[in-house]
Amino acid sequence: MIRAFLVCFFLLLSSGIISAQIAVQGDKVYTMAGKTFSPGVVLLKGEKIEAIGSPKDITIPSEYRLMKAAVVIPGLVDAHSVVGLSGILNSRHDQDQLEKSAPMQPELRAIDAYNGRDPLISWIRQFGVTTVHTGHAPGALVSGQTMITKTIGNSVEENILVSTAMVAATVGEGAMSSEGSPGTSSKVIAMLRSELLRVQNIQNQRTLKTEEKDSPPPSRNLRDEVWEKILNRDIPLLVTAHRHQDILSALRVAKEFNIHVILDGVADAYLVINELQEAKISVILHPTMARANGERENLSMETASILQKVGIPFALQSGYEAYVPKTRVVLFEAAIAAAYGLSFEEALASITISAAKILGVQERVGSLEVGKDADLALYDGDPFEYTTHCTGVIINGQVVSEEAH
Amino acid sequence: MTKYFFSFSVFLFALVNAFWGVRAYSQETPQVFVGGRLILIEGEDIPNGIMIVQNGKITALGAAQEVSLPVPSVIHNLAGRTIMPGFVDTHSHIGGGWAADRSAPIQPDVRVLDSIDARNSGFQRAQAGGITTANVMPGSGHLLSGQTLYLKMRDANTINDLLIYDKEGEIVGGVKMANGTNSIRQAPFPGTRSKSAALVREKFIQAQEYLKKIELAGDDKSKIPPRDLALETLGDVLQGKKIVHHHTHRHDDILTVLRLQKEFQFRVVLHHVSDAWKVAKEIAEAKAPCSLIYIDSPGGKLEARDIDWKNGAILEKAGASVAFHTDDWITDSRLFLRSAAFAVRAGMSKKGALRGLTLAGAEMLDLQDRIGSLKLGKDADFVILSGDPLSVYTKIEQTWIDGNKVFDRKNPQDRLWAVGGYKAGLPREGELCCFGKENK
């Protein structure tokens, strides 16, 4: 009996099903779940966090691989990106983040375009980004769906957390570039309202018809199925809006249709703080270093600290860039936010636990807690300092990066 | 004892100054910067130093005990602060200037001078980033897109207020060239790399012949060829009067620049140089200075796919001169220090990186005798920092050019340019006109 068990154990071990057991020791371990241990130890078993605490309370089993760092934090969560759809080369064949054939195409799935092998994904991973919310970019009134994935894996299915996370929409000037797109901000909102109303009508009629039992099931409509999920508040509408008047328009639509809107970008957020608070809205703020031009001409590097002060839930993002840098790195965006008014831990929260909460994946990622995914980032100093290196990245208990970056 | 005596003398001078302070200080009144850490660039840092500035120049420098203070003077207490030379941005596009149009791939006659908006808020942002001199260039969509300008980031009413003149009274600037994919387009632009090089060689040969004709004409005015603005400029390039600032990314394109440089003996600075790490030895052997860009991620186009933050370290090790640039709007002038810091992150020496922000850049613009280090007699262009220049938490508190303060983070209008906020997107308001309030 014991022999059979041992054989099974070694078979499992050799087949790689049991992944390595790791102990990560940090001079400082920021759990982002309330406690910071200095020093601290995190034990990883399989894909999950097994234990966490002060070295005096945790005995590191001898068979565990030991990794050491000055600072240990949860794997970073990029709250909004386009990596995997918008590729490194920026040529026709690797840009799948925006379909311009029609103004509203919520049926476009991010999973059908995501390229997990694009070098930009390993680029952000080497600095500690382990989870990314990516998909269709701003630039059409409704550009398509987004997804949430770990930054590893060959196939999109392998490490996905949420396949349809949100539907990306844009209001204001940004919505005016697609074929058949609206030409004014008012038209943008009119088209969005008409579409929501159209699907609402279909829903209402179906409710009336359910009495007739023998009628054939209605034919499927991919687009309307997604709209219905939005109207039923199953998935949020991620609305990119920068100018203050466009932000308010988005809030107006959210209220009218009782849909779950998460605001994205919001360069002018500091002008409409009361309205954002009243609407109890969450914000995925533009990159701190985003270029101040066009609709974003009045953005401020201090907006994150203003949102923090008034208690509006927010996360930072890497966003979309048409040219260079082809992707930003949220770690660096949070660093500038920390230099412009956020405390160290507030800035860290904006790219870990706060991001996970806004994305609805806080049960698995965003903080170091027993039972959560074993996603960690290790640094040889303050992670925000320009000259600090990320010295290790662990995803699902696997070491995916060990060189200093 | 020395220390106390010193504190007392500072107090005394402050007192003296208080009497004199009734009148507004002028350029002639020495400005004394006391107690800060001086990063000289040429020479070792001075932890507790004094720098005196008068008539736009640095007139005294040294450790606190060594420098005697003039009377009257304006004292600036900089305890806990760091002072270093103003940054030299070797490649910028602020001011909205363009030069060459789409009519031809090589346009040496076209000057960025004739298109810059001196009131563009880009200049204010550059000040906020500690940049005191910038090489403002036309774009890279041409083999030769025109003449660049080396500008001081003064508060300008017109372009004339930004210009720098050489000893002969000429406006200083270089020439912008590019190879690789940016300048490959529909005819009359080249369609291949070989054609690009051929067009450039052809034009330089014309310029050589133009110079030869002038030389042969001697005093015989009838034999002097009619003025040709394009060939005249290329003639300046061939004679080393203007430096070529050459956009180049891929390793073979870098080598093509060096090949042409060898053939025509022009002075060149390599810009961006994404693949520098592949040909660092060749670059160092050719003694070609490199002006590097640091971007948050590689790519954006095929030829910049392999750009590496290690470029600074590898070139430094190979013995090449390294400076940095913003390429503003590609990177933000306000965050120019990040470029040097990322070079250090990837292995470059701190000393080399700080030199890259200042003196190395000055050398690439032929301005090393006037700017780029804190040195007696040099222009009083400097920045006052809240701490270590390579820390993300450090702020540029003040920027001074020619002994005048052009940026002060405590000034609300300057702060708006530095941080952003409502109306930060607008151009600078007028100072003399009747409509707006004065902003400085």
Side-chain angles (χ1 to χ4, degrees), chain B residues 165-182:
Chain B
Y165 295 90
D166 66 14
K167 283 172 193 148
E168 283 78 45
E170 297 286 327
I171 297 166
V172 297
V175 164
K176 172 76 181 288
M177 292 183 68
N179 67 3
T181 50
N182 278 24

Side-chain angles (χ1 to χ4, degrees), chain A residues 87-91 120 123 127 244 268 270-271 289-293 297-302 322-329 331-333 335-336 338-340 344 379 382-390 405, chain B residues 125 182 247 249 295-305 307 309-310 329-332 334-335 337-338 340-342 344-347 389-395 409 415 418-426:
Chain A
I88 185 170
L89 297 180
N90 206 22
S91 60
L120 292 179
W123 178 263
F127 297 110
H244 61 95
D268 283 356
Y270 55 85
L271 295 176
M289 293 183 280
R291 291 191 179 95
N293 55 18
E297 64 181 356
N298 293 324
L299 68 76
S300 164
M301 293 195 270
E302 288 178 335
Y323 186 31
V324 291
K326 202 57 201 134
T327 185
R328 293 178 178 274
V329 181
L331 175 66
F332 304 151
E333 303 302 330
I336 300 296
Y340 283 83
F344 175 82
Y379 301 87
D382 175 348
F384 293 144
E385 275 292 8
Y386 292 142
T387 49
T388 291
H389 304 94
C390 179
H405 290 283
Chain B
R125 289 168 205 260
N182 278 24
H247 158 115
H249 285 287
I295 309 243
D296 284 31
S297 63
K301 57 181 171 180
L302 180 59
E303 59 183 5
R305 182 193 61 190
I307 190 168
W309 289 359
K310 291 195 184 78
W329 60 274
I330 295 292
T331 73
D332 191 328
R334 297 175 298 176
L335 298 165
L337 275 168
R338 280 183 94 227
F342 278 165
V344 171
R345 184 184 189 125
L390 300 188
S391 168
V392 69
Y393 303 110
T394 293
K395 295 285 190 321
R409 195 170 285 266
R415 199 175 181 285
V419 175
Y422 193 53
K423 292 191 175 177
L426 300 176

